[in-house]
Amino acid sequence: MNRLLTFGAMLVFAGCASAPVAPIQSPQSRADWSAVEAILGRSGTPQPGNVYKFAFPRSDLDVRIGDVRLKPALALGSWAAFMDMGGGNATAMGDLVLAEDEVNEVISALQTGGIEQSALHNHVFGETPRVIYLHFSGHGEAVVLARTLRAALERTKTPLSPPSGSAAAPELPAAEMDRILGFTGKPNGGVLQYSVPRAERIVEHGMEIPPAAGMATAINFQPTSNGRAAITGDFVLLASEVNPVIRELRGGGIAVTALHSHMLDEEPRLFFMHFWANDDALKLATTLRHALDKTNVKR
C-alpha cells in the first residue's frame, strides 16, 4: 500500500456528507529531522511557522540572461519545505529548477513515490540555456517523502553533496535598500534576498501554509556593476492586486516575466508574478516598494 496520502484522497474524505468539517490545523513543531537529513544528504534550516527547509542550488548550471550570469541564489535554487504533521508524517512542498531534458524523468520519479505536481512553467525568459520550474506537494511519512525527493533529484545533475553556501554580503547599498523596501535583506551566495509575508492566513486542505513554505513575496538582488543589480523573484498576489502591481513594475522599467499559479487548492486563491530587471539598485528598490504597497503585506 502506498503510504503517502494524496490530495485526492483527502478531498474525498472531506466531501463525505456525514463527515464533520475539520478545524484548520497548523503544522506542529518537530524536534528531529535527522532521518530526512540523512536521506537528502544535507542539513535543513528551521524557518518560522514550524517549517524545515532544504536548499538544492543548481550550481552545475551556467545560465545567462544577456551579460548577466545568474547565481544560484538569484533564480536557480531548488528547495523543499517540510512541515511536521505528527506521528512521523509530514507535508513537503517545493520547487525544482530543471533543465528541459530532466523534466519528465523527475515528474515520473515524484509520481512513483506519490508526490504530486502543482505547476510547471518558466520564471524568467531570455535565459540560455532554458530552465523550467516544477512545483510539487506531497503528504505522508517524512522519510518516504525524502526518499522520493532524493530519487527525483538523482535524475538530474543537481549537486547532491552539501552546498558550501556563502553568507558574504553582496556589494550593494543594503541599508538604504532596507529602508526603501521596509524589510531587512539577508545575504545568500552573493545575492541580497528579501522575503515579504502576506497578512492573510493561507490555507490548503485545512492546513495553514506558512510564508516560509513559498507563500511570501521573494525579491532577490544580484550586483552587476556601478551600483546596478539584476533582480528577480515573485510577488504573491490576490487577483485584485495583479494589475495594480503590473502597472507599478512596468512604470519603473521592470519586466513581467510570468504570471501563474504555484498551487492547486489554496485559499485565498493566489497568483505568482515573476519579474526581471538590471538597473540601478536603489531605483529598482523604489519601484518594488511601490509595487509592494499595492499588496496586503504583513508589517
Side-chain angles (χ1 to χ4, degrees):
M1 179 183 294
N2 191 334
R3 291 178 287 179
L4 295 180
L5 303 176
T6 65
F7 270 162
M10 296 171 70
L11 282 172
V12 169
F13 175 81
C16 293
S18 60
V21 177
I24 292 173
Q25 301 291 327
S26 296
Q28 301 301 308
S29 61
R30 182 186 177 95
D32 184 11
W33 290 99
S34 58
V36 170
E37 290 179 323
I39 293 166
L40 295 178
R42 66 197 59 213
S43 297
T45 304
Q47 301 285 336
N50 297 321
V51 172
Y52 206 63
K53 199 165 187 175
F54 293 85
F56 303 91
R58 292 298 306 254
S59 55
D60 60 302
L61 295 175
D62 182 3
V63 180
R64 299 172 187 266
I65 298 178
D67 60 357
V68 178
R69 183 179 187 272
L70 306 188
K71 293 182 180 294
L74 182 70
L76 302 175
S78 296
W79 59 273
F82 280 71
M83 294 166 280
D84 179 53
M85 303 304 294
N89 293 318
T91 289
M93 303 176 67
D95 180 12
L96 300 181
V97 181
L98 303 173
E100 285 187 295
D101 60 358
E102 296 171 342
V103 170
N104 280 289
E105 286 297 314
V106 168
I107 288 175
S108 293
L110 293 174
Q111 287 284 338
T112 297
I115 293 181
E116 298 182 338
Q117 286 69 69
S118 56
L120 176 67
H121 46 224
N122 70 295
H123 285 180
V124 294
F125 53 56
E127 78 279 15
T128 305
R130 192 181 184 201
V131 288
I132 304 296
Y133 299 79
L134 177 68
H135 297 263
F136 65 86
S137 180
H139 313 268
E141 292 184 49
V143 293
V144 178
L145 291 168
R147 290 189 194 113
T148 298
L149 181 58
R150 174 74 186 222
L153 289 168
E154 287 175 350
R155 285 160 174 75
T156 76
K157 295 179 181 178
T158 303
L160 294 179
S161 57
S164 57
S166 169
E171 295 182 1
L172 290 167
E176 182 65 8
M177 293 164 65
D178 290 352
R179 185 193 66 78
I180 292 169
L181 289 166
F183 293 88
T184 301
K186 294 182 178 180
N188 178 24
V191 173
L192 188 62
Q193 299 181 326
Y194 292 84
S195 180
V196 182
R198 292 194 59 87
E200 299 91 350
R201 195 169 190 236
I202 299 167
V203 175
E204 189 169 43
H205 300 294
M207 187 183 80
E208 182 175 2
I209 311 299
M215 299 300 103
T217 290
I219 298 173
N220 300 328
F221 289 79
Q222 177 181 315
T224 49
S225 62
N226 300 319
R228 292 166 63 90
I231 61 166
T232 190
D234 57 344
F235 280 82
V236 183
L237 303 170
L238 300 178
S240 60
E241 298 168 341
V242 168
N243 283 286
V245 169
I246 286 176
R247 287 189 284 270
E248 293 293 344
L249 294 179
R250 294 303 302 130
I254 297 176
V256 176
T257 57
L259 173 63
H260 47 223
S261 62
H262 286 179
M263 304 166 70
L264 298 177
D265 296 289
E266 76 282 5
E267 296 179 7
R269 184 65 169 150
L270 299 173
F271 298 86
F272 295 76
M273 184 186 298
H274 299 263
F275 55 88
W276 170 267
N278 181 15
D279 205 338
D280 179 82
L282 296 179
K283 173 189 172 185
L284 293 174
T286 299
T287 297
L288 290 165
R289 172 57 189 266
H290 293 161
L292 284 172
D293 286 344
K294 300 296 182 181
T295 72
N296 188 21
V297 167
K298 182 177 181 180
R299 296 190 182 273

